[in-house]
Amino acid sequence: MGGRPAPAGPPPRPVPQSPPPLLTHDDSGVGHFDPVVRPAQAGPRTAAPQRTGRPPARGAAAAPAAPATAAPRGGGGGRPPGPPGRPDDRGPGDGGDGRKKPGRRRRLRRWVIGLAAFAVIGPLVAFAIGWLVFPVPNADDIAVTQVATFTYTDGAPLATVRPDNVNRTSVDLSQVPVPVQQAVLSAEDRTFFSNPGFDITGIARAVINQLSGGIGGGSTITQQYIKVTTGNDQYSLFRKFREVVLAAKMSKEMTKEQILGNYLNAIYLGRGAYGIQAASQAYFGKNVQDLNASEGAMIAGLIQSPSRWDPAKNLEMSQQRWNFVLDGMVAQGWMTQADRAQQRFPQWREASAAEGGGIPGDDKGHIYNAARAELEKLGISETEINTQGLTVTTTIDPKAQEDAATAVKKVMDGQPGNLRSSLVSVNPKTGAVIAYFGGENGVGLDYASVLKQPGSSFKPFVLAAALQANPPVGLGTIYDGSSPQELAGTTVTNSEGVSCGQCSVKEAMTKSINTVFYRMGLDVGPQRVADAAHQAGIPADLLPNPTGGISLGDREVHPEDMAAAYGTFAADGMKRDPFLIAKVTASDGRVIYDRGSTDNGQQVMPAEVARNVTESMTDVASSSRIGLNGRPVAAKTGTVQSSVEGQNNDAWTVGYTPSVSTAVWVGTDDNTPIKNSAGRPIYGRMLPGSIWQSFMNDVLQGTPVEQFSDFEPIGQAPARAVSNDSGQGDDQQTTTTQEPGDNRDNGDNGDRGDRGNRGDRGDSSGDGSGDGSGDGSSGDPGSDGNSDSPPGSDAGRDRPGRGGDN
């Protein structure tokens, strides 16, 4: 290669006014950079070679050597070569003076500088472009322009949300009382008047969530307003960037009062109401200017989840949010503590079907609301539902849903008007909810989502824990089933004096002997009972601080929880979380969410354990005269006794085949005693049992008869274990269950006459089947398994654990 000859003569004097480019000194390549002029240094350093602005070309003749006294850190040829073997040895091909490495380092440094400049300048340029391109929306731009359709699993329409259902009336901010404005700020953005329109901390959290696979992040009122009016509520970093640009732009072009006013006119507040004026009419039947602080706090508390926190659907959560808002107003100095103490939760009015915003008025309305709540958990917002023309395919089977509604109507017809019921059915093989009945009023309280004590229907979880103990408790293990017994300082009794002095675990499950399961729960430990229930599928945030009473169901659960957890037993220990949403597609064909057609589930407990739990319940349905038509079935009933002596508050039947797991609850709105049309207390195998039996027979009609898997006993085997391979159904397995106490609850089987319409089903299960067929055998009144709870602990609700079974 040709090189540039070394300069001749003495080096020219450096020019201080023109700093040399970086990395143009003839150094050894170790990263040191000396300034051109060092006036403070004297001596031989002044004799350093000239720095020309670029290194000599490769292979060029070396410059005249510097004097021997020259500093070793000087330019090119002034440094002697290193000794042999040093890492910086140079050969003939690299010029012999280290000029190759500075070239690479120069390029690297330029890249670093370029990236740093881009990191600073790029966002500024992007921000400037966004400022020019993104228009500031106003409240009238709210994007509710497309129909959203909710369908059954087969594609048939279930609910339709149309733009013409939107109810919105704009009002000036001056018409909104200041306490109502402050309530909204307390709920959503307490620094609204001081922040720049966006929350740096919230944005950072959103970025971290995005990068880690999560969703969400903090949003100011300004950002929320942008999401609502643009219809862009997808969880993405670009959306956050757009929000920041528009928030800053809005804050520059509008006053805070204008932004707040627009926001209050745009947000969705449930019941088809967009904006504070429409919400005021929907919830209180008055104009916004007439709202007081308490009413404003209730509405403000709904903003984050109006479909779920409507007081008509979830009063407890609505009250919790109301308290949060008012406490925030005190913390901000907007309300005195004295005024706060005087606030009372407001009297809201019930929703009408016309206000439902496309919500069906019958039982299907609860499916719609439950589906919307699940969409929210999936990160699909109400804004997207209203603006992107979504098709939401649910898992609900139309025939199964009709069977559920029919069963409830048939059994509950003619019963006292204060009774309420719910039914949830799950496919244990997939986790899909095939039927969801939360009540006949689709815009009222969803009774499938309420928390209630399950009574003795919780006993299978006690057994699941005992089967996994060391040593395990087998179905043939003998317990003292006499009554009453003093257990850990608590007097535990069986229902109506039913007892068995030497009782196997299977017999105790069939007869629901409280003393046996209370003792079993104490032996394995209440926390392990709770753990077994969580293992099966009861949500982890339920069953807090368990005591001995948990064995008799003194902790609250949802009907869906019970159906899904029993489904884990049906699937031999394979847990699949229940779900309602199968697929979500936008109007432009984009698939926003797809659950997929298979769910392999998670093996949460040994298959043998789950199968032994199933075996323990195979005689329950037939003994209660709610067995199915020739099908093997495992079931358990439960009753929660009222604080009123001899009365009950809640009644359950939960049971399954290998392909369908169903939970049925009957109770009241206010936890008052539940009585049938004859004025007698209702137990689990009565109205709930009849609903469960009717539904299960109908939904399984025409499907193959499925057997449970082979039974391999754990621990001591039961005295009589009927193999399902024999083809016998539960209706034939009754030899161990007909005890005198079975008919003691109401004296005889004549209670079937209370309803008079049970015979048309071809079984003996009617209301009276429960009344006379043996509700007394399994823990009716008197089964107060959890009198260990302190007096008054029920606080006017279900009496914890006084739920023996039926």
Side-chain angles (χ1 to χ4, degrees):
M1 291 184 295
R4 178 174 147 186
R13 185 174 182 178
V15 182
Q17 291 83 359
S18 301
L22 295 175
L23 291 176
T24 57
H25 59 297
D26 298 335
D27 209 332
S28 62
V30 296
H32 177 73
F33 176 73
D34 280 331
V36 175
V37 179
R38 297 178 180 268
Q41 296 183 0
R45 240 177 158 20
T46 60
Q50 177 187 9
R51 302 184 183 189
T52 64
R54 61 178 178 175
R58 210 174 191 184
T69 57
R73 288 184 65 193
R79 178 170 179 170
R86 284 180 52 171
D88 58 352
D89 284 350
R90 295 162 179 82
D94 64 0
D97 58 0
R99 295 189 178 99
K100 182 176 180 180
K101 285 190 176 180
R104 289 199 303 267
R105 300 180 71 85
R106 183 186 310 114
R107 287 193 298 271
L108 176 62
R109 187 167 297 188
R110 284 174 178 170
W111 270 104
V112 171
I113 293 172
L115 289 173
F118 180 79
V120 173
I121 298 173
L124 295 178
V125 172
F127 191 92
I129 294 173
W131 187 285
L132 295 173
V133 171
F134 300 145
V136 173
N138 60 61
D140 292 326
D141 292 333
I142 185 166
V144 185
T145 58
Q146 299 191 60
V147 173
T149 304
F150 288 69
T151 75
Y152 290 104
T153 190
D154 64 356
L158 187 154
T160 302
V161 185
R162 301 181 183 279
D164 55 10
N165 285 321
V166 174
N167 173 21
R168 185 167 73 89
T169 303
S170 295
V171 294
D172 190 83
L173 185 64
S174 62
Q175 295 178 263
V176 183
V178 171
V180 176
Q181 298 179 37
Q182 293 168 339
V184 172
L185 298 180
S186 175
E188 298 301 312
D189 189 356
R190 296 179 185 180
T191 64
F192 172 73
F193 280 101
S194 60
N195 66 47
F198 52 86
D199 178 8
I200 294 296
T201 302
I203 293 170
R205 185 165 61 250
V207 171
I208 293 172
N209 286 342
Q210 284 288 313
L211 296 178
S212 62
I215 59 174
S219 292
T220 64
I221 275 180
T222 309
Q223 290 173 273
Q224 289 182 46
Y225 168 72
I226 292 166
K227 285 186 291 187
V228 168
T229 53
T230 61
N232 187 353
D233 200 11
Q234 302 244 352
Y235 288 100
S236 68
L237 297 181
F238 177 76
R239 193 211 77 191
K240 281 292 180 185
F241 164 72
R242 188 169 185 268
E243 281 179 12
V244 169
V245 174
L246 285 176
K249 190 173 181 180
M250 285 178 62
S251 297
K252 193 77 171 174
E253 297 181 5
M254 298 181 180
T255 66
K256 287 286 187 178
E257 288 76 10
Q258 288 174 315
I259 295 172
L260 180 59
N262 285 346
Y263 172 78
L264 290 174
N265 283 321
I267 52 173
Y268 180 67
L269 290 162
R271 301 190 179 184
Y274 284 79
I276 192 70
Q277 168 63 19
S280 179
Q281 287 289 345
Y283 290 99
F284 300 109
K286 60 173 69 172
N287 290 321
V288 64
Q289 55 264 40
D290 298 323
L291 292 178
N292 58 38
S294 177
E295 294 164 339
M298 193 203 85
I299 292 177
L302 301 174
I303 293 174
Q304 291 185 18
S305 188
S307 289
R308 289 191 297 164
W309 297 347
D310 185 327
K313 300 170 186 173
N314 193 334
L315 180 59
E316 182 179 356
M317 191 62 192
S318 185
Q319 290 173 333
Q320 184 176 323
R321 291 290 298 170
W322 176 80
N323 281 312
F324 169 78
V325 172
L326 291 176
D327 291 344
M329 294 174 70
V330 173
Q332 295 298 117
W334 297 332
M335 177 180 287
T336 66
Q337 190 62 57
D339 286 342
R340 169 69 179 89
Q342 294 178 1
Q343 300 301 314
R344 297 293 178 267
F345 193 75
Q347 182 59 52
W348 43 273
R349 73 185 184 94
E350 294 287 347
S352 66
E355 294 170 342
I359 302 174
D362 58 7
D363 59 281
K364 294 184 286 295
H366 297 304
I367 302 172
Y368 169 82
N369 285 318
R372 287 190 74 145
E374 190 168 313
L375 288 172
E376 184 177 324
K377 291 179 182 178
L378 294 172
I380 300 171
S381 71
E382 302 213 28
T383 300
E384 290 178 90
I385 295 171
N386 292 334
T387 62
Q388 302 213 9
L390 301 185
T391 296
V392 180
T393 304
T394 72
T395 60
I396 299 297
D397 180 274
K399 177 184 180 301
Q401 186 65 26
E402 184 62 29
D403 290 340
T406 299
V408 172
K409 181 176 177 56
K410 181 166 57 176
V411 173
M412 299 300 289
D413 183 38
Q415 297 296 330
N418 68 328
L419 294 180
R420 304 288 182 264
S421 57
S422 65
L423 181 155
V424 179
S425 189
V426 173
N427 182 346
K429 299 177 181 180
T430 63
V433 178
I434 63 171
Y436 188 97
F437 183 92
E440 295 178 351
N441 181 6
V443 295
L445 180 63
D446 177 5
Y447 295 99
S449 68
V450 298
L451 282 167
K452 293 292 182 180
Q453 294 174 343
S456 286
S457 62
F458 206 78
K459 287 175 180 173
F461 303 118
V462 183
L463 178 57
L467 286 163
Q468 298 176 82
N470 188 15
V473 173
L475 301 190
T477 302
I478 301 300
Y479 278 84
D480 176 8
S482 61
S483 174
Q485 292 186 39
E486 194 75 16
L487 299 174
T490 298
T491 300
V492 181
T493 62
N494 296 328
S495 171
E496 292 279 353
V498 175
S499 64
C500 54
Q502 294 294 302
C503 195
S504 73
V505 170
K506 173 151 182 163
E507 184 181 1
M509 184 70 81
T510 303
K511 296 180 179 178
S512 202
I513 303 298
N514 292 333
T515 53
V516 170
F517 283 92
Y518 201 97
R519 163 57 68 192
M520 191 185 300
L522 292 176
D523 288 345
V524 299
Q527 185 57 56
R528 290 194 176 182
V529 173
D531 292 343
H534 294 316
Q535 185 183 29
I538 300 298
D541 60 338
L542 300 181
L543 318 177
N545 307 314
T547 61
I550 193 173
S551 297
L552 304 182
D554 72 345
R555 294 298 188 269
E556 294 179 327
V557 294
H558 304 97
E560 184 178 70
D561 303 336
M562 294 294 282
Y566 271 50
T568 299
F569 298 139
D572 287 338
M574 189 72 72
K575 186 183 82 163
R576 297 177 174 89
D577 293 331
F579 66 97
L580 264 171
I581 304 298
K583 190 174 183 179
V584 181
T585 307
S587 59
D588 59 6
R590 285 178 298 115
V591 176
I592 295 176
Y593 172 81
D594 190 350
R595 174 86 183 195
S597 59
T598 60
D599 184 347
N600 293 327
Q602 179 184 4
Q603 191 75 44
V604 294
M605 67 176 61
E608 297 82 3
V609 170
R611 181 60 181 86
N612 272 251
V613 174
T614 294
E615 187 66 23
S616 75
M617 295 187 281
T618 53
D619 288 348
V620 173
S622 57
S623 73
S624 303
R625 300 190 183 180
I626 55 172
L628 305 186
N629 297 330
R631 291 178 184 268
V633 62
K636 190 70 191 77
T637 55
T639 306
V640 178
Q641 190 174 355
S642 170
S643 57
V644 179
E645 191 63 30
Q647 300 296 325
N648 303 321
N649 275 357
D650 301 279
W652 296 72
T653 293
V654 189
Y656 54 89
T657 66
S659 60
V660 181
S661 177
T662 304
V664 176
W665 166 86
V666 170
T668 62
D669 285 319
D670 53 4
N671 292 316
T672 52
I674 52 176
K675 300 177 182 180
N676 63 14
S677 56
R680 296 172 178 170
I682 296 170
Y683 298 96
R685 68 188 65 200
M686 294 165 59
L687 301 181
S690 295
I691 293 170
W692 178 87
Q693 182 190 45
S694 176
F695 170 78
M696 292 290 282
N697 275 330
D698 289 345
V699 80
L700 291 167
Q701 185 176 13
T703 65
V705 174
E706 296 180 87
Q707 307 294 333
F708 294 116
S709 61
D710 291 340
F711 170 57
E712 295 292 336
I714 295 176
Q716 186 171 346
R720 182 179 69 89
V722 177
S723 170
N724 285 302
D725 292 336
S726 68
Q728 286 182 309
D730 279 354
D731 287 331
Q732 286 75 44
Q733 300 174 21
T734 61
T735 58
T736 65
T737 60
Q738 293 301 320
E739 299 291 324
D742 284 350
N743 292 322
R744 247 186 285 176
D745 171 44
N746 290 310
D748 58 85
N749 286 330
D751 227 296
R752 284 193 294 274
D754 292 345
R755 300 223 6 90
N757 62 349
R758 298 275 66 78
D760 59 348
R761 298 205 341 255
D763 61 72
S764 56
S765 68
D767 174 8
S769 80
D771 286 1
S773 70
D775 293 325
S777 72
S778 12
D780 302 346
S783 54
D784 71 281
N786 62 344
S787 53
D788 55 332
S789 300
S793 63
D794 51 325
R797 303 174 356 209
D798 311 335
R799 259 181 101 75
R802 287 186 59 88
D805 165 56
N806 311 307

